Amino acid sequence: MSLIKKQFVITSTPLRISFAGGGSDFHDFFSAHEGAFVSSTIDKEIKVTVKRHSDIFNEKFRINYSSSEIKNKLEDIENDIARECIKLVGIDYPLYISTIADLPEKSGLGSSSSFCVGLLKALFELEGKKVNDKELFEASVEVEINILKKPIGIQDQLAAVYGGFNFFKILKDGSFEIKNLNQNSKNIVPNIFNNLLLIWTSIQRNSSDILYEQEKNISKNIDNIKSIKNLAYDFWDLINKDFDSKNIGELLEKGWNNKIKLASKISNNEIIRLYEKCKNLGSHGGKLSGAGGGGFLLMVVDESIKNNLINNLDNYNNIDIKYNPNGSRILLSE
């Protein structure tokens, strides 16, 4: 039975950090070899507000994000995700959309997919259309991959919808299996997060060029992507047994060394210098979040020396992150 249509909805959708397996979530790979990755949602989110816009205003659509748009025709909306989400849900009345993000866009934490998932969830709720998590995931993939042809995999949408610290296995037909670390009785998640450091490189980049090259090179990189996928299994086995931060750091570094072979612009001299500086200050290893080229560097460092490393990072900001078990959720609906 349908929900009652709403006037005003706010959703909150988490960003994510990816530990292992990224790249095996591209359709061209998992449709032939299956995919696997491990990720966790964090306490940094994107909040999306949608509201039925009054006829009193001169415009039909008012959309606020890192830019502001005032449009009268749906096809004139420049934000491609917003435009296609509105189309997919089937809304043709005046609409106000606004977003608030805890961290910058284009930073490798899955913000585009989090925005897409959060906006779809809000629009479906506004329309009184009840969708489950799988339907929400499929709708976000339809918008980003099938309609907009973005050169991305499906891990960001899965993390945004389902939330949690998860191992995802992607089968050849695109179906997936989820194992959640919350079900483990050990105090694993806090131990992992206590030894993580997220460092802002100050480089915001459009990842499309990197991802297009990575997607184009899949057939040449099958063995390398298989190795990256296998690290997801290794990582999951590791954190479900006795482990220390050194094990995790070394595994992330192994994945990072494999990943930089997938496209020419994944790393650069500034990222290499920052990574080596962290290693010299005692980090066990890490990786760049997302497609590469900039964004956030995720490093593993013993909690006991974390402050010393932070104090020696000079001009680089670090972000304190905590575990967030929630997927996309509705904060307000009226």
Side-chain angles (χ1 to χ4, degrees), residues 49-319:
T49 298
V50 297
K51 175 183 175 292
R52 292 173 187 264
H53 206 33
S54 171
D55 291 333
I56 294 175
F57 293 95
N58 293 325
E59 74 277 358
K60 185 172 183 178
F61 300 104
R62 182 184 292 244
I63 305 175
N64 297 316
Y65 48 107
S66 54
S67 300
S68 294
E69 295 190 52
I70 295 176
K71 305 291 183 182
N72 282 309
K73 294 181 180 179
L74 179 58
E75 58 268 26
D76 290 340
I77 294 174
E78 295 172 25
N79 186 306
D80 53 2
I81 290 177
R83 182 184 66 246
E84 298 306 327
C85 284
I86 296 168
K87 282 185 187 176
L88 185 140
V89 177
I91 290 175
D92 60 1
Y93 47 78
L95 198 63
Y96 171 93
I97 298 172
S98 184
T99 66
I100 301 172
D102 290 332
L103 293 176
E105 63 177 346
K106 301 176 183 176
S107 58
L109 300 178
S111 58
S112 292
S113 294
S114 291
F115 168 60
C116 183
V117 167
L119 177 56
L120 283 169
K121 192 174 186 74
L123 293 175
F124 281 129
E125 176 74 6
L126 196 71
E127 274 289 272
K129 296 179 179 178
K130 189 172 180 61
V131 294
N132 60 33
D133 286 344
K134 187 170 185 293
E135 290 167 332
L136 180 60
F137 161 71
E138 290 171 347
S140 62
V141 169
E142 179 66 18
V143 167
E144 289 197 274
I145 298 177
N146 297 338
I147 295 173
L148 293 175
K149 308 296 182 186
K150 291 184 180 293
I152 58 175
I154 61 174
Q155 69 160 313
D156 293 352
Q157 297 93 341
L158 284 168
V161 170
Y162 289 94
F165 200 126
N166 299 312
F167 176 95
F168 292 95
K169 181 179 179 180
I170 313 300
L171 304 180
K172 292 179 182 179
D173 62 0
S175 61
F176 52 90
E177 300 170 1
I178 307 174
K179 295 179 183 176
N180 189 289
L181 200 61
N182 282 352
Q183 298 166 7
N184 194 297
S185 59
K186 300 175 187 176
N187 200 27
I188 293 175
V189 174
N191 288 341
I192 294 173
F193 271 80
N194 288 341
N195 292 285
L196 294 179
L197 188 60
L198 195 63
I199 304 165
W200 177 231
T201 65
S202 300
I203 304 171
Q204 279 179 278
R205 79 286 180 271
N206 188 330
S207 60
S208 293
D209 290 345
I210 296 171
L211 289 167
Y212 275 120
E213 183 184 354
Q214 184 176 327
E215 188 178 44
K216 187 178 71 175
N217 291 342
I218 285 176
S219 60
K220 296 189 295 185
N221 285 318
I222 294 298
D223 289 342
N224 196 19
I225 301 173
K226 283 182 178 178
S227 297
I228 291 171
K229 180 185 79 172
N230 289 336
L231 286 174
Y233 288 92
D234 294 342
F235 185 86
W236 193 251
D237 288 343
L238 175 66
I239 61 176
N240 278 283
K241 299 173 183 174
D242 292 331
F243 69 91
D244 59 31
S245 56
K246 186 172 186 290
N247 300 141
I248 294 178
E250 289 174 348
L251 195 147
L252 262 58
E253 182 168 271
K254 189 182 294 185
W256 171 239
N257 286 332
N258 281 329
K259 181 175 179 175
I260 59 179
K261 301 171 186 175
L262 300 180
S264 58
K265 296 180 181 178
I266 287 177
S267 188
N268 56 50
N269 289 336
E270 184 171 351
I271 291 167
I272 292 169
R273 281 195 297 269
L274 177 57
Y275 190 94
E276 290 303 320
K277 183 167 188 175
C278 290
K279 288 292 295 289
N280 291 335
L281 289 168
S283 170
H284 298 302
K287 63 188 289 290
L288 204 65
S289 291
F296 284 98
L297 191 65
L298 179 68
M299 300 302 295
V300 180
V301 56
D302 290 339
E303 189 177 10
S304 59
I305 65 167
K306 190 186 284 189
N307 285 337
N308 180 63
L309 194 153
I310 291 170
N311 291 335
N312 283 279
L313 283 179
D314 301 328
N315 298 324
Y316 293 101
N317 292 318
N318 71 93
I319 306 297

